[in-house]
Coordinates of all heavy atoms in Angstrom, one line a residue:
M233 N -119.9 59.6 102.3 CA -121.3 59.6 102.7 C -122.1 60.7 102.1 O -121.6 61.9 102.1 CB -121.3 59.6 104.2 CG -122.6 59.2 104.9 SD -122.9 57.5 105.1 CE -121.7 57.1 106.1
K234 N -123.3 60.5 101.6 CA -124.1 61.5 101.0 C -125.4 61.5 101.7 O -126.0 60.5 102.0 CB -124.2 61.1 99.5 CG -125.0 62.1 98.7 CD -125.0 61.6 97.2 CE -125.9 62.6 96.4 NZ -126.0 62.2 95.1
T235 N -126.0 62.7 101.9 CA -127.3 62.9 102.5 C -128.3 63.0 101.4 O -128.2 63.9 100.5 CB -127.3 64.0 103.5 OG1 -126.3 63.9 104.4 CG2 -128.7 64.3 104.1
L236 N -129.4 62.2 101.4 CA -130.5 62.3 100.5 C -131.7 62.7 101.4 O -131.9 62.2 102.5 CB -130.8 60.9 99.8 CG -129.6 60.2 99.2 CD1 -130.0 58.8 98.7 CD2 -129.1 61.1 98.0
K237 N -132.5 63.5 100.8 CA -133.8 64.0 101.4 C -134.9 63.8 100.5 O -134.8 64.1 99.3 CB -133.7 65.4 101.9 CG -132.8 65.5 103.1 CD -132.9 67.0 103.7 CE -131.9 67.2 104.9 NZ -132.6 66.9 106.2
F238 N -136.0 63.3 101.0 CA -137.3 63.1 100.2 C -138.5 63.6 101.0 O -138.6 63.5 102.2 CB -137.4 61.6 100.0 CG -136.3 60.9 99.4 CD1 -135.3 60.4 100.1 CD2 -136.2 60.8 97.9 CE1 -134.2 59.7 99.5 CE2 -135.2 60.2 97.4 CZ -134.2 59.6 98.1
K239 N -139.4 64.2 100.2 CA -140.7 64.5 100.7 C -141.6 63.2 100.5 O -141.5 62.6 99.5 CB -141.4 65.6 100.0 CG -142.8 66.1 100.5 CD -143.3 67.3 99.9 CE -143.0 67.8 98.6 NZ -143.8 68.8 98.1
T240 N -142.2 62.7 101.6 CA -142.8 61.4 101.5 C -144.3 61.5 102.0 O -144.8 62.5 102.6 CB -142.2 60.4 102.4 OG1 -142.3 60.7 103.7 CG2 -140.6 60.3 102.1
N241 N -145.0 60.3 102.0 CA -146.3 60.2 102.7 C -146.2 59.2 103.8 O -147.2 58.5 104.1 CB -147.4 59.8 101.6 CG -147.1 58.5 100.9 OD1 -146.0 58.0 100.9 ND2 -148.2 57.9 100.3
I242 N -145.0 59.1 104.4 CA -144.8 58.4 105.6 C -145.2 59.2 106.8 O -144.5 60.0 107.3 CB -143.3 57.8 105.7 CG1 -142.9 57.1 104.5 CG2 -143.1 57.0 107.0 CD1 -141.4 56.8 104.4
N243 N -146.4 59.0 107.2 CA -146.9 60.1 108.1 C -147.2 59.7 109.6 O -147.8 60.5 110.4 CB -148.1 60.8 107.6 CG -149.3 59.8 107.1 OD1 -149.2 58.7 107.6 ND2 -150.1 60.2 106.3
C244 N -146.9 58.4 109.9 CA -147.2 58.1 111.3 C -146.2 57.0 111.8 O -145.5 56.3 110.9 CB -148.7 57.6 111.5 SG -149.1 56.1 110.6
G245 N -146.3 56.6 113.0 CA -145.5 55.5 113.5 C -145.8 54.2 112.9 O -144.8 53.4 112.6
G246 N -147.0 53.9 112.5 CA -147.3 52.8 111.8 C -146.6 52.6 110.5 O -146.2 51.7 110.0
C247 N -146.6 53.8 109.7 CA -146.0 53.8 108.4 C -144.4 53.7 108.6 O -143.9 53.0 107.8 CB -146.3 55.2 107.7 SG -147.9 55.5 107.4
V248 N -143.9 54.3 109.6 CA -142.5 54.2 109.8 C -142.2 52.7 110.1 O -141.1 52.1 109.6 CB -142.0 55.0 111.0 CG1 -140.6 54.8 111.4 CG2 -142.1 56.5 110.7
S249 N -143.0 52.0 110.9 CA -142.8 50.6 111.2 C -142.9 49.8 109.9 O -142.1 48.8 109.7 CB -143.8 50.1 112.1 OG -143.8 50.7 113.4
K250 N -143.7 50.2 109.0 CA -143.9 49.4 107.8 C -142.6 49.5 106.8 O -142.2 48.6 106.3 CB -145.1 49.8 106.9 CG -145.4 49.1 105.8 CD -146.7 49.4 105.1 CE -146.9 48.5 103.9 NZ -148.2 49.0 103.2
V251 N -142.0 50.7 106.8 CA -140.9 50.9 105.9 C -139.5 50.5 106.6 O -138.5 50.2 105.9 CB -140.7 52.4 105.5 CG1 -141.9 52.8 104.7 CG2 -140.4 53.3 106.6
T252 N -139.5 50.4 107.9 CA -138.3 50.1 108.7 C -137.5 48.9 108.1 O -136.3 49.0 107.8 CB -138.5 49.9 110.1 OG1 -138.9 51.2 110.7 CG2 -137.3 49.5 110.9
P253 N -138.1 47.7 108.0 CA -137.4 46.5 107.6 C -136.8 46.8 106.1 O -135.7 46.3 105.8 CB -138.4 45.4 107.6 CG -139.7 46.0 107.7 CD -139.5 47.3 108.3
F254 N -137.6 47.4 105.3 CA -137.1 47.6 103.9 C -135.9 48.6 103.8 O -134.9 48.4 103.1 CB -138.3 48.1 103.0 CG -139.3 47.1 102.9 CD1 -140.4 47.1 103.8 CD2 -139.2 46.1 101.9 CE1 -141.4 46.1 103.7 CE2 -140.2 45.1 101.8 CZ -141.3 45.2 102.7
L255 N -136.0 49.7 104.6 CA -134.9 50.6 104.5 C -133.7 50.2 105.2 O -132.5 50.4 104.9 CB -135.4 52.0 105.1 CG -136.3 52.8 104.3 CD1 -136.8 54.1 105.0 CD2 -135.7 53.2 102.9
N256 N -133.9 49.4 106.3 CA -132.8 48.8 107.0 C -132.0 47.8 106.2 O -130.8 47.6 106.4 CB -133.2 48.1 108.4 CG -133.6 49.1 109.5 OD1 -133.3 50.3 109.3 ND2 -134.2 48.7 110.5
K257 N -132.7 47.1 105.3 CA -132.1 46.1 104.4 C -131.6 46.7 103.2 O -130.8 46.0 102.4 CB -133.1 45.0 104.1 CG -133.4 43.9 105.2 CD -134.1 42.8 104.7 CE -135.5 43.1 104.3 NZ -136.4 42.0 104.0
Q258 N -132.0 48.0 102.9 CA -131.5 48.6 101.6 C -130.0 48.7 101.5 O -129.4 49.3 102.4 CB -132.2 50.0 101.5 CG -131.7 50.8 100.3 CD -132.7 50.5 99.1 OE1 -133.8 50.4 99.2 NE2 -132.1 50.4 97.9
E259 N -129.4 48.2 100.5 CA -128.0 48.2 100.4 C -127.5 49.7 100.1 O -128.2 50.4 99.4 CB -127.6 47.4 99.2 CG -126.0 47.2 99.1 CD -125.7 46.1 98.2 OE1 -126.3 45.1 98.0 OE2 -124.6 46.3 97.5
G260 N -126.6 50.1 100.9 CA -126.1 51.4 100.7 C -126.7 52.5 101.6 O -126.3 53.6 101.6
V261 N -127.7 52.1 102.4 CA -128.3 53.0 103.4 C -127.5 52.7 104.7 O -127.7 51.7 105.4 CB -129.8 52.8 103.5 CG1 -130.4 53.6 104.6 CG2 -130.5 53.1 102.1
E262 N -126.9 53.8 105.2 CA -126.2 53.7 106.5 C -127.2 54.0 107.7 O -127.2 53.3 108.7 CB -125.0 54.7 106.5 CG -123.8 54.2 105.8 CD -123.2 52.9 106.4 OE1 -122.9 52.9 107.6 OE2 -123.0 52.1 105.6
S263 N -128.0 55.0 107.6 CA -129.0 55.4 108.5 C -130.1 56.2 107.9 O -129.8 56.8 106.8 CB -128.3 56.2 109.7 OG -127.8 57.4 109.2
W264 N -131.2 56.3 108.6 CA -132.3 57.0 108.0 C -133.3 57.5 109.1 O -133.2 56.9 110.2 CB -133.0 56.2 107.0 CG -133.7 55.0 107.5 CD1 -133.0 53.8 107.7 CD2 -135.0 54.9 108.0 NE1 -133.9 52.9 108.3 CE2 -135.2 53.5 108.4 CE3 -136.1 55.7 108.1 CZ2 -136.3 53.1 109.0 CZ3 -137.2 55.2 108.7 CH2 -137.4 53.9 109.2
E265 N -134.0 58.5 108.9 CA -135.1 58.9 109.8 C -136.2 59.7 109.0 O -135.9 60.3 108.0 CB -134.5 59.8 110.9 CG -134.0 61.1 110.5 CD -133.5 62.0 111.6 OE1 -133.6 61.5 112.8 OE2 -133.0 63.0 111.4
V266 N -137.4 59.6 109.6 CA -138.5 60.4 109.0 C -138.9 61.4 110.0 O -139.2 61.1 111.2 CB -139.7 59.4 108.6 CG1 -140.8 60.3 108.1 CG2 -139.3 58.4 107.7
D267 N -139.1 62.7 109.6 CA -139.6 63.7 110.4 C -141.1 63.8 110.3 O -141.6 64.5 109.4 CB -138.9 65.0 110.1 CG -139.4 66.2 111.0 OD1 -140.3 66.0 111.9 OD2 -138.9 67.3 110.8
T268 N -141.9 63.0 111.1 CA -143.3 62.9 110.8 C -144.0 64.3 111.3 O -145.2 64.5 111.1 CB -144.0 61.7 111.5 OG1 -143.5 61.8 112.9 CG2 -143.5 60.5 110.9
A269 N -143.3 65.1 112.1 CA -143.7 66.4 112.5 C -143.8 67.4 111.4 O -144.5 68.3 111.5 CB -143.1 66.9 113.8
N270 N -143.0 67.2 110.4 CA -142.8 68.1 109.4 C -144.0 67.9 108.4 O -144.3 66.8 108.1 CB -141.5 67.9 108.6 CG -141.2 68.8 107.5 OD1 -142.0 69.0 106.6 ND2 -140.0 69.4 107.5
P271 N -144.6 69.0 107.9 CA -145.8 68.8 107.0 C -145.4 68.0 105.8 O -146.3 67.3 105.2 CB -146.1 70.2 106.7 CG -145.5 71.1 107.6 CD -144.4 70.4 108.2
D272 N -144.2 68.1 105.4 CA -143.8 67.3 104.2 C -143.2 65.9 104.5 O -142.8 65.2 103.6 CB -142.7 68.0 103.4 CG -143.2 69.3 102.7 OD1 -144.4 69.3 102.3 OD2 -142.5 70.3 102.5
K273 N -143.3 65.5 105.8 CA -142.8 64.2 106.2 C -141.5 63.8 105.6 O -141.3 62.8 104.8 CB -143.8 63.1 105.8 CG -145.3 63.4 106.1 CD -145.5 63.8 107.6 CE -146.9 64.1 107.9 NZ -147.1 64.8 109.1
I274 N -140.4 64.5 105.9 CA -139.1 64.5 105.3 C -138.4 63.2 105.7 O -138.1 63.0 107.0 CB -138.3 65.7 105.6 CG1 -139.0 67.0 105.0 CG2 -136.9 65.6 105.0 CD1 -139.2 67.1 103.5
L275 N -138.0 62.4 104.8 CA -137.1 61.3 105.0 C -135.7 61.6 104.7 O -135.4 62.2 103.6 CB -137.5 60.1 104.1 CG -136.6 58.9 104.0 CD1 -136.5 58.2 105.2 CD2 -137.1 58.0 102.9
T276 N -134.9 61.5 105.7 CA -133.4 61.9 105.5 C -132.6 60.5 105.5 O -132.8 59.7 106.5 CB -132.9 62.8 106.7 OG1 -133.7 63.9 106.6 CG2 -131.4 63.2 106.4
I277 N -131.8 60.3 104.5 CA -131.0 59.1 104.5 C -129.5 59.4 104.4 O -129.2 60.3 103.6 CB -131.5 58.2 103.2 CG1 -132.9 57.7 103.5 CG2 -130.4 57.1 103.0 CD1 -133.4 56.8 102.4
E278 N -128.8 58.8 105.2 CA -127.3 58.8 105.0 C -126.9 57.7 104.2 O -127.0 56.5 104.5 CB -126.6 58.8 106.4 CG -126.8 60.0 107.3 CD -126.4 61.3 106.7 OE1 -125.4 61.4 105.9 OE2 -127.2 62.3 106.9
S279 N -126.5 58.0 103.0 CA -126.2 57.0 101.9 C -124.8 56.7 101.7 O -124.0 57.6 101.7 CB -126.8 57.5 100.5 OG -126.4 56.6 99.5
D280 N -124.5 55.4 101.7 CA -123.1 55.0 101.4 C -123.2 54.1 100.1 O -122.7 53.0 100.1 CB -122.6 54.2 102.6 CG -121.0 53.9 102.5 OD1 -120.4 54.6 101.6 OD2 -120.6 52.9 103.1
G281 N -123.9 54.7 99.1 CA -124.0 54.0 97.8 C -125.4 54.0 97.3 O -125.6 53.7 96.0
A282 N -126.4 54.0 98.1 CA -127.7 53.9 97.6 C -128.1 55.3 96.9 O -127.7 56.3 97.3 CB -128.7 53.8 98.8
S283 N -128.7 55.1 95.7 CA -129.1 56.4 94.9 C -130.5 56.7 95.3 O -131.3 56.0 95.8 CB -129.0 56.0 93.4 OG -130.0 55.2 93.1
E284 N -130.9 58.0 94.8 CA -132.3 58.5 95.0 C -133.2 57.5 94.3 O -134.3 57.1 94.9 CB -132.4 59.9 94.4 CG -131.7 60.9 95.1 CD -131.9 62.3 94.5 OE1 -132.6 62.4 93.5 OE2 -131.4 63.2 95.1
E285 N -132.9 57.0 93.2 CA -133.7 56.1 92.4 C -133.9 54.7 93.2 O -135.0 54.2 93.2 CB -133.2 55.8 91.1 CG -133.2 56.9 90.1 CD -132.1 58.0 90.4 OE1 -131.1 57.7 91.0 OE2 -132.4 59.2 90.1
D286 N -132.9 54.2 93.9 CA -132.9 53.1 94.6 C -134.0 53.2 95.8 O -134.8 52.3 96.0 CB -131.6 52.7 95.3 CG -130.6 52.3 94.3 OD1 -130.9 51.9 93.2 OD2 -129.3 52.4 94.7
V287 N -133.9 54.3 96.5 CA -134.8 54.6 97.6 C -136.2 54.7 97.1 O -137.1 54.2 97.7 CB -134.2 55.8 98.4 CG1 -135.3 56.2 99.5 CG2 -132.9 55.6 99.0
K288 N -136.4 55.5 96.1 CA -137.7 55.7 95.6 C -138.4 54.3 95.1 O -139.5 54.1 95.4 CB -137.7 56.6 94.3 CG -137.5 58.1 94.7 CD -137.5 58.8 93.4 CE -137.1 60.3 93.6 NZ -137.1 61.1 92.4
A289 N -137.6 53.5 94.5 CA -138.1 52.2 94.1 C -138.5 51.4 95.3 O -139.6 50.6 95.2 CB -137.0 51.5 93.2
T290 N -137.7 51.3 96.3 CA -138.0 50.6 97.5 C -139.2 51.0 98.2 O -140.2 50.2 98.4 CB -136.8 50.6 98.5 OG1 -135.6 50.0 97.9 CG2 -137.2 49.9 99.8
L291 N -139.5 52.3 98.3 CA -140.7 52.8 98.9 C -141.8 52.6 98.0 O -142.9 52.3 98.6 CB -140.4 54.3 99.2 CG -139.4 54.6 100.3 CD1 -139.3 56.1 100.4 CD2 -139.8 54.0 101.7
Q292 N -141.7 52.7 96.7 CA -142.9 52.5 95.9 C -143.3 51.1 95.9 O -144.5 50.8 95.8 CB -142.5 52.9 94.4 CG -142.5 54.4 94.3 CD -142.0 54.9 92.9 OE1 -141.4 54.1 92.2 NE2 -142.2 56.2 92.6
K293 N -142.5 50.1 96.0 CA -142.8 48.7 96.2 C -143.7 48.4 97.3 O -144.5 47.5 97.3 CB -141.6 47.8 96.3 CG -140.8 47.6 95.0 CD -139.7 46.6 95.3 CE -138.5 47.0 94.5 NZ -137.3 46.3 94.9
I294 N -143.7 49.2 98.4 CA -144.4 49.0 99.5 C -145.5 50.0 99.7 O -146.1 50.2 100.8 CB -143.6 48.8 100.9 CG1 -142.7 50.0 101.0 CG2 -142.8 47.5 100.8 CD1 -141.9 50.0 102.3
G295 N -145.8 50.9 98.7 CA -146.9 51.7 98.7 C -146.7 53.1 99.2 O -147.7 53.8 99.4
F296 N -145.5 53.6 99.2 CA -145.2 55.0 99.6 C -144.5 55.8 98.5 O -143.9 55.2 97.6 CB -144.3 54.9 100.9 CG -144.9 54.4 102.1 CD1 -144.7 53.2 102.5 CD2 -145.7 55.2 102.8 CE1 -145.3 52.6 103.6 CE2 -146.3 54.7 104.0 CZ -146.1 53.4 104.4
N297 N -144.8 57.1 98.6 CA -144.3 58.0 97.5 C -143.0 58.7 98.2 O -143.0 58.9 99.3 CB -145.3 59.1 97.2 CG -146.6 58.4 96.6 OD1 -146.5 57.4 95.9 ND2 -147.7 59.0 96.9
A298 N -142.1 59.0 97.3 CA -140.9 59.7 97.7 C -140.6 60.7 96.6 O -140.5 60.3 95.4 CB -139.8 58.9 98.1
E299 N -140.5 62.0 96.9 CA -140.0 63.0 96.0 C -138.8 63.7 96.5 O -138.7 64.2 97.6 CB -141.2 64.0 95.9 CG -141.0 65.2 94.9 CD -142.1 66.2 95.0 OE1 -143.2 65.8 95.1 OE2 -141.7 67.4 94.9
S300 N -137.7 63.7 95.7 CA -136.5 64.3 96.1 C -136.6 65.7 96.4 O -137.3 66.4 95.8 CB -135.4 64.0 95.0 OG -135.2 62.7 94.7
V301 N -135.9 66.1 97.5 CA -135.9 67.5 97.8 C -134.3 67.9 97.9 O -133.5 67.1 98.2 CB -136.6 67.9 99.1 CG1 -138.0 67.8 98.9 CG2 -136.1 67.1 100.3
D302 N -134.0 69.2 97.6 CA -132.6 69.6 97.7 C -132.1 69.6 99.0 O -132.9 70.1 100.0 CB -132.5 71.0 97.0 CG -132.7 71.0 95.5 OD1 -132.5 69.9 94.9 OD2 -133.1 72.0 94.9
V303 N -131.0 69.2 99.2 CA -130.3 69.2 100.6 C -129.5 70.6 100.6 O -128.8 70.9 99.8 CB -129.2 68.0 100.7 CG1 -128.5 68.2 102.0 CG2 -129.9 66.7 100.6
R304 N -129.9 71.3 101.6 CA -129.3 72.7 101.8 C -128.2 72.7 102.8 O -128.2 72.0 103.7 CB -130.3 73.7 102.1 CG -131.3 73.8 100.9 CD -132.3 74.9 101.3 NE -133.4 74.7 100.3 CZ -134.6 74.3 100.6 NH1 -134.9 74.1 101.8 NH2 -135.5 74.1 99.7

């Protein structure tokens, strides 16, 4: 299992609702959450095969940006 983190523009409950079906169906994504209280709106994904590129492509298809951030 690998943890991926992204700075996003998923900034409210409505946005989270919009991405939910896509991230839930994303192959290789075990679990995910968005910290909308964080100024950078950090999306954390527990990946079991999904790559950063896969996640970015999925979010871009539905109108959201994702920029990889280092996992510390």
Side-chain angles (χ1 to χ4, degrees):
M233 193 81 63
K234 183 176 175 186
T235 300
L236 307 174
K237 287 189 180 266
F238 303 89
K239 184 169 28 170
T240 71
N241 61 340
I242 301 169
N243 55 18
C244 66
C247 298
V248 171
S249 295
K250 186 173 179 183
V251 301
T252 294
F254 295 92
L255 289 176
N256 285 351
K257 285 192 290 187
Q258 177 88 42
E259 193 168 322
V261 172
E262 283 297 307
S263 64
W264 62 274
E265 67 178 356
V266 179
D267 182 358
T268 56
N270 184 305
D272 289 332
K273 313 304 181 201
I274 299 296
L275 167 64
T276 303
I277 292 183
E278 293 302 325
S279 170
D280 190 20
S283 70
E284 290 180 0
E285 291 75 25
D286 294 337
V287 174
K288 287 181 187 179
T290 296
L291 292 175
Q292 286 174 345
K293 281 186 220 170
I294 54 175
F296 291 97
N297 300 323
E299 179 184 321
S300 299
V301 292
D302 291 334
V303 177
R304 293 182 197 114

